[in-house]
Amino acid sequence: MRATVMFGAGDVRIENVPDARLIEPTDALVAVSRAAICGSDLWPYKTMEHSETGHRMGHEFIGVVEAVGADVRTVKVSDLVVAPFLYSDGTCVFCREGLHTSCLHGGRYGWDGVDGGQGEAVRVPQADGTLVVLPVGTDDALMPSLLTLSDVMGTGHHAAIAANVGPGKTVAVVGDGAVGLCGVIAARRPGAVQIIILGRHSDRIALAREFGATDVVSERGEEAVVRVRELTDGFGVHSVLECVGLEQSMHTALSIARPGGAVGRVGVPQDESMPASQLAFYNNVTVSGGPAPVRAYIEEFLPDVLEGRIEPGCVFDRVVRLDGVPDGYRAMNEREAIKVLIEF
Ligand SMILES: [Zn+2]
């Protein structure tokens, strides 16, 4: 079968790889019908050292179940399923607490002999705990929005939960990538009154406004902090969704949280230490967040997508076939595209 393999920074290729197949009795074999390129795929795209064998890529996909292991009970052949970006058993102590990212039997696609999602098929471990059946056909118009449930919509929602977003709250979203944009949806959903998007790309800002952003701050650094304070009676916001992960974005996030506020971070931190820790301390700012347990959120968001209340699939502004994936990486890396959808 054919699949996406990264051999080093800027070097993504479509290669012939061994066919995906069942190994464990808890596996499902899924033929991929839609997949996506993730903002987090761009970190190795910028920095990965050359590798002779390469690394299988992709962790966001929808597909049709082609075979199941003897112990699989909740999905069956020909079901259309969405996969969260990690697999998990759904039964261990952490999964039962809704923290599937810490599953005792979980793991990542593209590692430990598990296929990546940007390929023709995937062996999905822990199928019962991982996969969610979708009650639509493979060519349904909702497919882009359903695909966001595998990562970006759930990740934006996780940032909102970690930042204590709720009715009447003021919110700032740091980062105008797909996760930040979904964070706007996630902030509006429970009734935030003011949603400030920090970003500078006109296409992304326009989409943020469609999703419910009330204000735009395009300045950076200290100027952005001043601007957010101006928009919030000088105090800053109750809730900040940090969707970037860089030192400057985290510094900005902590600087625009009002005293007693909270920062929910879902941008993978690129530094070991956290900036502005004294500021956060003296302002009693809660810092929370981490990798989003999106599996815990899929069922909650399914009705919203199926009944058209939210349309997170609008973050996809480019569609490619498998052969177009290397150029899709380039386009996302150069900010030509917000997010790339792969059709099989
Ligand atoms: Zn678990």
Side-chain angles (χ1 to χ4, degrees), residues 88-96 99-100 102-106:
S88 51
D89 60 12
T91 55
C92 79
V93 58
F94 294 111
C95 284
R96 287 201 308 268
L99 195 63
H100 300 71
S102 294
C103 178
L104 298 176
H105 305 105

Side-chain angles (χ1 to χ4, degrees), residues 11 20 33 38 52 62 75-76 121 201 271 341:
D11 186 1
S33 56
C38 181
E52 285 299 321
I62 283 175
V75 297
K76 60 184 191 305
H201 302 84
D271 299 291
L341 178 82

Side-chain angles (χ1 to χ4, degrees), residues 24-238:
E24 302 291 335
T26 45
D27 290 345
L29 178 63
V30 174
V32 176
S33 56
R34 300 284 193 294
I37 302 175
C38 181
S40 68
D41 294 333
L42 298 180
W43 293 117
Y45 189 75
K46 292 182 213 293
T47 60
M48 181 178 162
E49 287 190 24
H50 176 77
S51 152
E52 285 299 321
T53 50
H55 189 85
R56 297 278 293 279
M57 299 300 294
H59 54 255
E60 303 173 19
F61 59 96
I62 283 175
V64 176
V65 176
E66 285 202 324
V68 294
D71 293 346
V72 174
R73 296 285 174 271
T74 63
V75 297
K76 60 184 191 305
V77 171
S78 82
D79 278 346
L80 181 71
V81 290
V82 59
F85 70 83
L86 298 172
Y87 57 85
S88 51
D89 60 12
T91 55
C92 79
V93 58
F94 294 111
C95 284
R96 287 201 308 268
E97 292 175 358
L99 195 63
H100 300 71
T101 46
S102 294
C103 178
L104 298 176
H105 305 105
R108 301 167 67 184
Y109 301 103
W111 298 83
D112 304 319
V114 177
D115 304 286
Q118 292 162 2
E120 290 177 327
V122 177
R123 173 176 77 91
V124 178
Q126 307 293 349
D128 278 342
T130 304
L131 298 170
V132 179
V133 177
L134 298 172
V136 294
T138 47
D139 286 321
D140 196 278
L142 293 173
M143 213 48 68
S145 287
L146 292 166
L147 182 56
T148 67
L149 301 183
S150 70
D151 189 343
V152 288
M153 186 62 245
T155 297
H157 178 60
H158 189 60
I161 287 178
N164 294 328
V165 173
K169 295 283 187 75
T170 56
V171 177
V173 178
V174 179
D176 60 3
V179 171
L181 293 167
C182 288
V184 172
I185 295 175
R188 184 192 193 178
R189 196 166 161 269
V193 286
Q194 184 179 25
I195 304 170
I196 304 167
I197 179 92
L198 281 76
R200 292 176 304 145
H201 302 84
S202 56
D203 53 338
R204 296 163 190 232
I205 285 166
L207 192 51
R209 284 201 183 275
E210 252 177 67
F211 284 166
T214 56
D215 301 275
V216 175
V217 169
S218 296
E219 291 85 350
R220 304 187 84 177
E222 203 46 44
E223 286 176 26
V225 175
V226 169
R227 190 77 194 100
V228 171
R229 293 233 177 95
E230 282 171 4
L231 290 167
T232 52
D233 298 329
F235 296 136
V237 294
H238 295 106

